[in-house]
Amino acid sequence: MTTISPLRDFIVEFTKIHDSTRDLQTLQAKGASLLNTLVSRDDWLPEEFARPNPERYSQYLLHCDPLERFSVVSFVWGPGQKTPLHDHRVWGLIGMLRGRESETQFERDADGHFRATETTFLEPGEVAALTPGVNDYHQVANAFEDRISISIHVYGANIGGVARATYDPETGKEKSFISGYSSEEIPNLWDRSRERHAA
Ligand code: FE2
């Protein structure tokens, strides 16, 4: 049985941090620490937001700040699924909940072509950061061919509504997209009676 309280606690604390600073580095550092706590346990993500789609990876909205200053999303990767090379245009934090993810970062040359710089792997409990102007181009994949992986992402906007782009890594050709989300529903964070009953 899952308990939603770790996600609710994360959202409450992250909102407080957001309200307390205008410095992106501070927000990302404190946010990364909170996200690390959230993904260091795997007993809270409701099953509806952990379901893979055999056709493509899923991105389920877990929470959007009422002022759209940030959003929290579960990415569910079926075996071998991956993104195209893409950008974000807002800051991001990626916390690994289950399985393993590979991230290949790219740099863009002045002529618009891309170069892969490094590939890293995220293990459960680990957190990585994305910062526009520093490391905003990457390709992400499930490192496993035989099981699902799940990561929890936090972005500095309502990411499902942000106009951004995918790129052909060979030619640099840009294709704009707005991701949206994989589900119409979001988790019910606020029925506190469930925890009372569980206790
Ligand atoms: Fe990404």
Side-chain angles (χ1 to χ4, degrees), residues 86-88 94 130 138 140 153 155 164:
H86 64 278
D87 66 14
H88 310 84
I94 302 171
L130 296 165
H138 72 177
V140 180
H153 299 208
Y155 296 99
R164 47 202 180 111

Side-chain angles (χ1 to χ4, degrees), residues 22 133 135 170:
R22 294 191 170 201
N135 62 340
E170 304 300 322

Side-chain angles (χ1 to χ4, degrees), residues 85-86 103-119 134-139 167-173:
L85 170 59
H86 64 278
E103 181 200 26
T104 303
Q105 296 210 352
F106 287 79
E107 276 177 8
R108 196 176 196 187
D109 294 333
D111 63 2
H113 286 78
F114 285 92
R115 261 178 314 112
T117 52
E118 65 167 342
T119 297
V134 178
N135 62 340
D136 197 35
Y137 302 110
H138 72 177
Q139 184 166 27
Y167 301 87
D168 181 322
E170 304 300 322
T171 64
K173 192 170 183 301

Side-chain angles (χ1 to χ4, degrees), residues 77-152:
W77 311 92
Q81 288 177 341
K82 60 178 183 229
T83 69
L85 170 59
H86 64 278
D87 66 14
H88 310 84
R89 306 190 186 188
V90 295
W91 62 260
L93 291 169
I94 302 171
M96 202 70 216
L97 184 71
R98 205 177 294 174
R100 182 186 299 143
E101 198 171 276
S102 75
E103 181 200 26
T104 303
Q105 296 210 352
F106 287 79
E107 276 177 8
R108 196 176 196 187
D109 294 333
D111 63 2
H113 286 78
F114 285 92
R115 261 178 314 112
T117 52
E118 65 167 342
T119 297
T120 51
F121 291 90
L122 269 190
E123 306 289 343
E126 292 182 339
V127 174
L130 296 165
T131 308
V134 178
N135 62 340
D136 197 35
Y137 302 110
H138 72 177
Q139 184 166 27
V140 180
N142 186 349
F144 289 117
E145 295 290 339
D146 61 351
R147 70 187 99 153
I148 70 160
S149 291
I150 301 178
S151 49
I152 306 301

Side-chain angles (χ1 to χ4, degrees), residues 1-3 43-44 194 198:
M1 195 182 132
T2 62
T3 169
D43 60 353
W44 56 267
R194 293 181 200 187

